[in-house]
Every structure is written in C-alpha cells, then in structure tokens.
Amino acid sequence: MKDTEYAYAVARIRANETKLISGSELSAVISAAGYNECVRRLKEKGYEIEGSDYLSALEKKLSNTWELIESVLPDRSQFNSVLIKNDFHNLKVALKALVSDKSADGLFASPSVYSPAEIKKYVFSRENECLPEELRHADRSAYRILTKTGFAALSDAVIDRASLECSLAFAKKADNEIMLKFAEAKAALTDIKVLYRCVLTGKAKSFMERAVCECSSFSKKDIIEAADGGKEALFEFLSHTPFSGAADALKESASEFEKYVDDILTDILSVGKSEAFGISALLGYYFAVNTEIMNLRIILSGKLNGLPDGEIRERMRKLYV
C-alpha cells in the first residue's frame, strides 16, 4: 500500500495528537493536592473518572483510541504486528481455562487480529487446524506441556515467544521501517527481561532456549550462554549490545527496567512524528495514548496510596508529544 493512501488517516491523527497531555500538564496533575484534584484536572482533558474507579475511564480512552485508528486505517492488517500479542494472550487464557475447567469470561484482550470467541471455541474443542495458522504451533506445544507436565511457566514462555516471532513477521510484511525497528526492539528487550528472570529463578538452559526468540540485536545462542553464566555474565554481555543501559536498569529494579523499555520504544516511534504519510503516525499515536494511560495509572494509584510526588515523577514514562 502506498504511503499517500494514509493522507486522510494521518490528518485525523495529527488533529487528535493536540489533545494528548503535554509534559507541563502531566506535571501539574502530579503536583495536584490529592487524588480528587487530579481527577478534576483530568476531567478537563476529557477523562470521565468517577470516584476511585479510574481504571474504567482509562480503558475507555484506549478503546476509543483504537476505534478512531480503525475507522481511518486504509488496511487494518498493517496493524497486525501490534495487535497480535492480544491474540496470543487470548490463546493463553483459553488454554488455561480449558485445562483448569474454569471460566475465561472477562479475561480476553482486545483489539486483536482474530476473534477471541473463535479462538476460545477451537481451543476448547481441540480443533487445532481451525485456529489461525499463526497460533497453531503454539497451541499444540502449550497444550501438550500443560496436560503432560503442568509446567505453566514453560507453557506461557512458549506462547510468549511465538507472539514475538509473529509480531516480527507481521512487521516485515508491513514494509515500514519504524514498525520493524519497534518490533525488533521489543523482541530484544523482552528476551532480556525473560533471561534475567530465568537467572533469578534458576531456570535451566533448556528453558531459556524455548523461551527466547531470535532477533537482530544479538545472537540468541550467545545471550543464552551469557545468562547461563549468571547475572554478572549477562550484564557484561548486554554492555556490548545496543541495549547497554538495560543492565543498569535491571540492577536498579524491575520497574526501572520497564520504564527503560518504554522510553526506548517511544524514542523509536518519535522518529515518525514528522512523516506526512504512512502508518508511522498511527502507530506512534496509539503508543502515545498507551503511554499516557500508563502514566495516569501510576499517578492516580500513587495519589490514592499516598506516594510522594517525587517518587511518582521518577516512574513517569517519556512522552511522545
């Protein structure tokens, strides 16, 4: 698809970008005297928050954002790389509900590439061949693990790896440099997080090999060898990769690493802000709203729990605007 076919979509997104919360506005929300004052300020920005139930308003904002993007997308499949993670989440939910004989109602994620109801139907009926092709191998492997060993952590790892691999494949099909860089960085950073957790929990090398996907930022074999040698060996390996700052973030805390990841992804997408045509603007805006919502969740939760403003500021993600 030609980038010029996105002209109308980009124009709509640019208009909505002006409604994003700016850095100064976010700072004012953090400085507000208590939760209720935060809510008052956010209502001025269109967030319909009632009482302490701020999550519903944040979820509605994200849902409305996707509806806007979907309404202007010339080709919805161009967003598959971003959405497919929810399909694999839904596969995971359906499988766990099946083997535990529990309800999966209310646990499925959207938006997604495929229908959550269809995924649930074919997982429960064990009609693997009826599932979307991208999900079939992960479904077979994870189901076998859950039913034969009950090793839920390995089942999750197999599905999560397949999700990253599928996201990368869709990004390559989209033929957009920024989307591909975004998918590759996310895969690499997820590999790092997974391996660090493996080190902390003493997972075997065989587990690592099934949990980590291939990426362009480093050799899968080499990073697994490093992780198998312990934390310091992993940190030393990371110092020679494009993500050398990951080691310092991990040493600080898990939440600091998550912030590091989000800031890197924001930097990648920010490059597309000046593009007049193409899908980059839509991808950037969708991620920008996700980041805004994440920041507001941190602020509102912090205010309700009496966290100092300084501690809340330290947790803020970099803004796209």
Side-chain angles (χ1 to χ4, degrees):
M1 176 167 289
K2 295 178 180 178
D3 281 350
T4 52
E5 295 182 35
Y6 282 87
Y8 171 73
V10 172
R12 287 287 305 276
I13 292 304
R14 294 292 184 230
N16 278 273
E17 279 182 356
T18 63
K19 301 174 185 178
L20 290 168
I21 296 177
S22 68
S24 59
E25 289 170 330
L26 192 69
S27 181
V29 173
I30 296 173
S31 299
Y35 175 82
N36 290 334
E37 178 62 17
C38 281
V39 169
R40 186 190 69 77
R41 290 176 181 271
L42 291 174
K43 282 185 176 180
E44 295 173 356
K45 295 295 293 184
Y47 282 93
E48 301 172 4
I49 302 173
E50 299 298 332
S52 60
D53 181 22
Y54 59 87
L55 291 177
S56 295
L58 300 185
E59 289 169 1
K60 182 179 179 181
K61 172 71 171 180
L62 190 57
S63 176
N64 290 343
T65 298
W66 172 247
E67 288 177 6
L68 167 65
I69 291 175
E70 189 173 32
S71 71
V72 299
L73 261 176
D75 180 1
R76 191 181 189 274
S77 70
Q78 294 293 295
F79 242 73
N80 284 357
S81 176
V82 178
L83 302 182
I84 196 65
K85 68 175 183 179
N86 285 337
D87 294 278
F88 281 94
H89 166 84
N90 294 339
L91 173 64
K92 192 185 297 185
V93 167
L95 281 168
K96 289 184 176 179
L98 172 64
V99 299
S100 64
D101 196 25
K102 293 181 179 179
S103 172
D105 294 344
L107 299 177
F108 291 104
S110 63
S112 54
V113 177
Y114 302 106
S115 163
E118 291 291 298
I119 290 175
K120 177 184 176 182
K121 174 184 175 181
Y122 295 126
V123 166
F124 273 55
S125 65
R126 297 313 303 147
E127 296 178 89
N128 177 270
E129 70 283 356
C130 294
L131 284 169
E133 184 177 356
E134 295 87 355
L135 275 64
R136 292 175 195 168
H137 179 70
D139 170 67
R140 287 193 299 268
S141 297
Y143 179 74
R144 185 166 55 250
I145 292 167
L146 287 172
T147 55
K148 295 200 176 294
T149 70
F151 196 176
L154 180 57
S155 171
D156 286 350
V158 165
I159 293 175
D160 291 341
R161 170 187 167 181
S163 175
L164 291 173
E165 290 172 340
C166 193
S167 177
L168 280 167
F170 275 131
K172 290 172 183 175
K173 287 182 183 179
D175 193 27
N176 179 273
E177 184 179 356
I178 291 176
M179 179 171 281
L180 183 55
K181 284 184 178 179
F182 180 85
E184 288 179 340
K186 193 162 187 180
L189 290 162
T190 302
D191 280 349
I192 292 170
K193 179 173 71 174
V194 167
L195 287 172
Y196 184 65
R197 287 179 177 173
C198 286
V199 171
L200 294 182
T201 55
K203 291 289 190 299
K205 188 176 179 181
S206 58
F207 182 98
M208 300 180 194
E209 289 168 346
R210 298 192 70 179
V212 172
C213 75
E214 297 281 0
C215 68
S216 61
S217 298
F218 41 69
S219 159
K220 172 180 173 176
K221 177 178 179 294
D222 290 346
I223 195 172
I224 289 176
E225 287 290 343
D228 195 43
K231 279 198 302 185
E232 294 307 317
L234 177 60
F235 292 157
E236 170 61 22
F237 178 88
L238 292 176
S239 70
H240 302 290
T241 72
F243 306 106
S244 57
D248 289 336
L250 287 168
K251 289 174 185 178
E252 183 72 24
S253 66
S255 61
E256 185 63 25
F257 177 74
E258 295 297 339
K259 180 179 183 299
Y260 169 82
V261 169
D262 291 334
D263 288 349
I264 282 182
L265 297 179
T266 294
D267 286 340
I268 291 171
L269 295 177
S270 294
V271 175
K273 286 175 64 176
S274 60
E275 291 189 6
F277 305 109
I279 199 171
S280 299
L282 282 70
L283 177 62
Y285 178 69
Y286 187 63
F287 187 79
V289 174
N290 272 275
T291 301
E292 178 174 297
I293 289 171
M294 188 183 306
N295 281 333
L296 294 182
R297 186 182 293 117
I298 292 169
I299 294 169
L300 294 169
S301 174
K303 290 292 183 179
L304 281 175
N305 289 286
L307 289 182
D309 290 354
E311 188 171 336
I312 293 174
R313 290 183 192 280
E314 289 176 358
R315 300 182 182 184
M316 290 295 97
R317 271 53 172 171
K318 186 180 294 185
L319 298 179
Y320 176 78
V321 295

